[in-house]
Amino acid sequence: EAGEMSTVQEVNSRVRGIRAPVNLQGLAACISEQIGVKKPFKSVIDVSSGDPHKAGMPPISFIRQVMAVCLYPELLKEKSLPLDVRQRAQKLLDMCSGGSVGSYSTTSIGLPEVQKSISEFITRRDGGVLSHPEDIILTIGSQKGLSVFLNLLTSGEGKTQTGVLTPMPCPHTLPMLLDMTGLALVPYRLFEEQGWAVNLDELHRALEAGRVHCEPKAIYISNPGNPTGYVQDRETIEKVIRFAATNCLIILAEEVHQGSVYGQDKEFISYKKVLSEMGKTYAETMELVSFHSISTAYIGECGLRGGYMEVVNIDPAVKKCLNFTPSAPVLPQLALELSLNPPRPEDSSYNSYTQIHHIEDTLSQNAKRALEFLNRVEGMSCQPSMAGPFLYPRVHLPPHMVEEAKRLGVKADVLYCQRLLEEEGICVGAGCENGQEDKNYHIRHRYLLIDNKINQFHRSFCEAMLTG
């Protein structure tokens, strides 16, 4: 007689151990179905993710036009499309095997012409610091690229398990990614009262604490910070590089929002550029992997999942391992090439492409207005954001609400987000998703939209909790 068995018993224990997502988006979908019947609002507004198009930002016409021609080459004959659009599409199609985006990428790490184009962009960005095409690896978004590299680091168990120093707060997908790849998360705190800056003393504290239970071998950096919007200056970057070099840590630099810096007197400086200017001792030996994608705020093509990583001073044997990864889809590679190499002043699409400057101005103004708004809400406070799509306000919750959350078996910030979604139709992210485990509760809010409903909800919710 066959014994009882359960599929869950056969599942990789590492996968079963992945921390569960809060899944407010699932609740949002359920609530959307109740609009007009059980809910008084007309729509659910999701500002929990860094998805600009979902929040209503229009796509860049030039990128979409060229992509349309690449998908349907008959449009090469369409005279109503700008000449440079058709020429650019033909150039991209010539990069593809068989002249079709339906073919596989010619190499597993990307189309050589796209690799070259990206390395030229990086060289321009970094003021002439050379980037080499063979160091560029095209990926299915920045997170997939990070996952591929993290898998190379995975080894050991218990005290020999590989650890990654990780900022708190961090991108909300990162803790699950580390779980999935079998790496230990070694948290280092970013201090809110310092504007979410990286603190060297805290890095040393975190490293020593991590060495008790694992072997830290890498440090993850988000610059500009996700979700904090903090932009690191040159001095900070130099300190982090020296710290990593002294302690034999690989630097994993996520720089997705490098093109959306709007803070006054702030500019993005890449880790690659600073490293190259610190002398041969660092520039020729320090291992660095940086990540970028087309999900950045001004382009916002999140759904295409196009990204790349640049590997610097990585052992050739390790680079060879990266050749074994499945090739990135062709279409996102082409979109990435377009986003990094926009029309030039002499091109016919140049004037229409300047819509991106309007988007830049709008996002900058929205960020400023949203910050002022949130700091006027009694019981909220928010540090200025210098870049990226998010504001990360602190929400001061009454003790009664914290107790209510304990009784219900959920975290207090999650309960707050659930109630805001249920009562006002606004979906924001809970700070615990970003690794906030202390009593300073936060929410993650995309500033494309700020609604006075938040002010009304926060006031009435806290009053109800205090009197309840």
Side-chain angles (χ1 to χ4, degrees), residues 391-406:
L391 289 173
Y392 195 63
R394 181 177 174 184
V395 183
H396 303 267
L397 301 178
H400 284 72
M401 190 205 159
V402 177
E403 290 302 316
E404 173 75 359
K406 284 181 181 178

Side-chain angles (χ1 to χ4, degrees), residues 70 286 400:
C70 288
M286 187 65 218
H400 284 72

Side-chain angles (χ1 to χ4, degrees), residues 60-247:
I60 305 298
S61 299
F62 172 76
I63 293 176
R64 288 298 181 87
Q65 287 174 333
V66 177
M67 298 295 285
V69 179
C70 288
L71 281 164
Y72 188 60
E74 284 296 310
L75 292 175
L76 288 166
K77 306 169 188 173
E78 181 54 63
K79 297 294 193 296
S80 64
L81 288 170
L83 177 61
D84 67 321
V85 164
R86 288 176 281 139
Q87 289 175 333
R88 192 69 173 273
Q90 184 62 68
K91 183 178 178 182
L92 295 180
L93 287 169
D94 290 342
M95 298 178 184
C96 303
S97 298
S100 171
V101 297
S103 60
Y104 283 120
S105 179
T106 52
T107 76
S108 63
I109 58 175
L111 297 168
E113 296 89 345
V114 176
Q115 289 175 285
K116 183 175 183 291
S117 187
I118 292 171
S119 68
E120 290 170 350
F121 157 77
I122 293 172
T123 299
R124 291 194 306 271
R125 180 199 68 187
D126 292 342
V129 177
L130 286 180
S131 173
H132 305 286
E134 61 270 22
D135 292 337
I136 305 298
I137 296 158
L138 278 297
T139 60
I140 307 171
S142 61
Q143 286 294 292
K144 185 62 176 178
L146 176 61
S147 174
V148 166
F149 200 85
L150 290 177
N151 272 307
L152 296 181
L153 297 178
T154 301
S155 67
E157 294 181 359
K159 289 189 176 182
T160 65
Q161 182 184 15
T162 298
V164 179
L165 268 71
T166 305
M168 292 290 142
C170 65
H172 68 280
T173 56
L174 185 56
M176 285 185 289
L177 186 57
L178 292 173
D179 288 345
M180 192 179 301
T181 50
L183 294 164
L185 189 158
V186 180
Y188 65 90
R189 293 168 296 175
L190 305 176
F191 292 102
E192 188 169 11
E193 61 273 16
Q194 297 173 12
W196 302 112
V198 176
N199 182 288
L200 193 62
D201 290 338
E202 171 61 12
L203 290 182
H204 284 290
R205 183 211 62 78
L207 181 65
E208 291 307 310
R211 283 173 171 164
V212 173
H213 62 85
C214 68
E215 290 187 11
K217 295 180 182 177
I219 178 170
Y220 178 93
I221 296 290
S222 180
N223 181 47
N226 177 356
T228 65
Y230 177 77
V231 178
Q232 296 180 17
D233 57 23
R234 182 182 296 272
E235 182 181 1
T236 298
I237 295 173
E238 287 179 353
K239 287 179 179 178
V240 172
I241 290 173
R242 290 192 182 96
F243 167 80
T246 301
N247 295 286

